[in-house]
Amino acid sequence: MTRTVNERADAVAALAEIFREFGYEGASLSLIGARTGLGKGSLYHFFPGGKEEMAASVLAEIDGWFARAVFAPLREDPDPAAAIRRMFRETDAYFRSGRRVCLVGAFALGDVRDRFAARIATYFAAWRDALADALRRAGRAEGSAAEEAEHVVSAIQGALVMARAVDDPAVFVRALARLEAGLGLAEP
Amino acid sequence: MTRTVNERADAVAALAEIFREFGYEGASLSLIGARTGLGKGSLYHFFPGGKEEMAASVLAEIDGWFARAVFAPLREDPDPAAAIRRMFRETDAYFRSGRRVCLVGAFALGDVRDRFAARIATYFAAWRDALADALRRAGRAEGSAAEEAEHVVSAIQGALVMARAVDDPAVFVRALARLEAGLGLAEP
DNA sequence: GTCTATACTTTGATAGAC
DNA sequence: GTCTATCAAAGTATAGAC
């Protein structure tokens, strides 16, 4: 039994890795079938909308994970500095210390930008705004918080690009450390 | 006469825009034919290796442009601070103030990463090392110059990703200004 | 050099048996 | 739910006339 997927949630998780590795156009249905161990029949049973619905489901899953694990704490944790430190920890873990790319960023640069434009924009804006909120609650001035948040989110993306480009995950780890230190939060 | 391309160099320039817009897999030969006004026969006359040779030629052209306009001055200009300021100006112009994506970065995240891995890595490493060299010559300590250069190059990439993701080129302009100011170079 | 026509493969997607 | 068979369309690439 080479079956690796038993329900839709498993399928979405597997699809995420496949899209990360091969991109949207590069992930053919035959490749997806081989990787998930699911035939086309099963795939279209889970995702009647075909490949586009598969990718949309993956993006929704990513969005949901970040909303729960990162954005919500940034907005709601009574200790905003702790929430920001947690953001860096979760980000490092999620991106496997630079060995995993950001699918949303890859889609933003790639051929499917327009197809998922709304969801891509929402993901980045939500991250930036949640971080700005935490910075404000931690005592930053309005304008400074917004600018700093935009910088951190965009620099994280850049570190993922460069880590992958030069094939050195340490680039990402160094960037996270530098960004966190640059915010000058009190240690717990 | 809808012909838009008269020689190989024109074809490479047109191909660069097409790959930027649609990605490698998304740029089909029929699309390329339609955009360049060249038939398949002409395309295979210019690029016997097919699409892969087209993309490789584009990457080589980009690499060459940056080497001449940015990397060489960073290494050779007797005034390293001026070369760094020039780097920011050229980068802003090249990426159309955030309206153009970096094809090398897009390839690094995308499905063709492995195919062009060597050239992608070289581009990023050359930029980082040339900038570190200029920073060193401008008086930075060894370790600080390398770290700062890595940060600037990766943050530029991230700003391009985010500008595209939220569809706001101003993100890129703000990032360049912040990075340049952060280097604390004397104004000319 | 450039075009048209075409070979051959793979794509995403559907239908129907079980 | 899952499989096999199959579809039409699009993919890259080649051949040959001009």
Side-chain angles (χ1 to χ4, degrees):
Chain A
M1 184 68 143
T2 55
R3 178 72 170 292
T4 56
V5 164
N6 289 298
E7 36 183 324
R8 213 190 111 113
D10 292 341
V12 172
L15 285 165
E17 289 311 314
I18 298 170
F19 283 126
R20 248 186 270 272
E21 196 166 344
F22 298 94
Y24 184 80
E25 305 276 0
S28 71
L29 286 191
S30 40
L31 178 69
I32 292 172
R35 287 286 185 115
T36 58
L38 259 48
K40 294 199 208 304
S42 307
L43 287 170
Y44 275 87
H45 169 71
F46 285 133
F47 308 97
K51 208 162 88 163
E52 179 151 356
E53 185 175 342
M54 298 179 205
S57 303
V58 168
L59 287 178
E61 205 270 337
I62 292 172
D63 222 346
W65 187 88
F66 272 89
R68 282 192 309 277
V70 180
F71 307 161
L74 284 173
R75 292 196 176 285
E76 295 159 17
D77 193 318
D79 182 347
I84 293 172
R85 284 192 298 268
R86 175 178 173 178
M87 177 195 90
F88 281 106
R89 281 202 319 276
E90 296 283 7
T91 301
D92 180 71
Y94 185 85
F95 293 113
R96 309 275 192 270
S97 298
R99 274 175 290 272
R100 210 190 203 188
V101 302
C102 176
L103 187 61
V104 190
F107 276 10
L109 284 190
D111 38 344
V112 283
R113 182 171 57 254
D114 296 341
R115 214 191 295 242
F116 304 112
R119 207 179 274 278
I120 291 168
T122 299
Y123 169 84
F124 278 86
W127 193 343
R128 177 197 59 199
D129 295 344
L131 177 56
D133 190 71
L135 286 169
R136 239 176 266 121
R137 294 192 298 120
R140 293 252 169 178
E142 174 69 29
S144 161
E147 188 198 322
E148 205 73 23
E150 180 173 286
H151 170 69
V152 168
V153 173
S154 106
I156 287 173
Q157 288 295 317
L160 288 169
V161 174
M162 185 153 180
R164 178 55 59 113
V166 300
D167 193 25
D168 179 11
V171 170
F172 180 67
V173 177
R174 282 196 291 272
L176 283 189
R178 179 195 172 104
L179 290 168
E180 185 166 8
L183 291 178
L185 302 170
E187 287 302 312
Chain B
M1 184 65 144
T2 54
R3 177 72 170 292
T4 55
V5 164
N6 289 298
E7 37 184 322
R8 213 190 112 111
D10 291 342
V12 172
L15 285 166
E17 290 311 314
I18 297 169
F19 282 127
R20 247 186 271 273
E21 196 166 344
F22 298 94
Y24 184 81
E25 304 276 0
S28 70
L29 286 191
S30 39
L31 179 70
I32 291 171
R35 286 285 186 114
T36 58
L38 260 47
K40 295 197 206 307
S42 308
L43 287 170
Y44 275 87
H45 169 70
F46 285 133
F47 308 97
K51 209 164 86 163
E52 178 151 357
E53 185 176 341
M54 298 179 205
S57 303
V58 168
L59 287 178
E61 206 269 337
I62 293 172
D63 222 345
W65 187 88
F66 271 90
R68 283 191 310 278
V70 179
F71 306 163
L74 284 173
R75 292 197 175 284
E76 296 159 16
D77 194 317
D79 183 348
I84 293 172
R85 284 192 298 269
R86 175 178 173 179
M87 177 195 89
F88 281 106
R89 282 203 317 276
E90 296 283 7
T91 301
D92 180 71
Y94 185 85
F95 293 114
R96 310 276 190 268
S97 298
R99 274 175 290 272
R100 210 190 204 189
V101 301
C102 176
L103 187 61
V104 191
F107 276 11
L109 284 190
D111 38 345
V112 283
R113 181 172 61 253
D114 296 342
R115 214 190 296 240
F116 304 112
R119 207 177 273 280
I120 291 169
T122 299
Y123 169 85
F124 277 87
W127 194 342
R128 176 198 59 199
D129 295 344
L131 177 56
D133 189 71
L135 286 170
R136 240 175 266 121
R137 294 193 296 119
R140 293 253 170 178
E142 174 69 30
S144 160
E147 187 198 323
E148 205 74 23
E150 181 174 285
H151 171 69
V152 168
V153 173
S154 105
I156 287 174
Q157 288 295 317
L160 288 169
V161 174
M162 184 152 179
R164 178 55 60 112
V166 300
D167 194 25
D168 178 12
V171 170
F172 180 67
V173 176
R174 282 196 291 271
L176 284 188
R178 179 196 171 104
L179 290 169
E180 185 167 8
L183 291 178
L185 302 170
E187 286 303 311

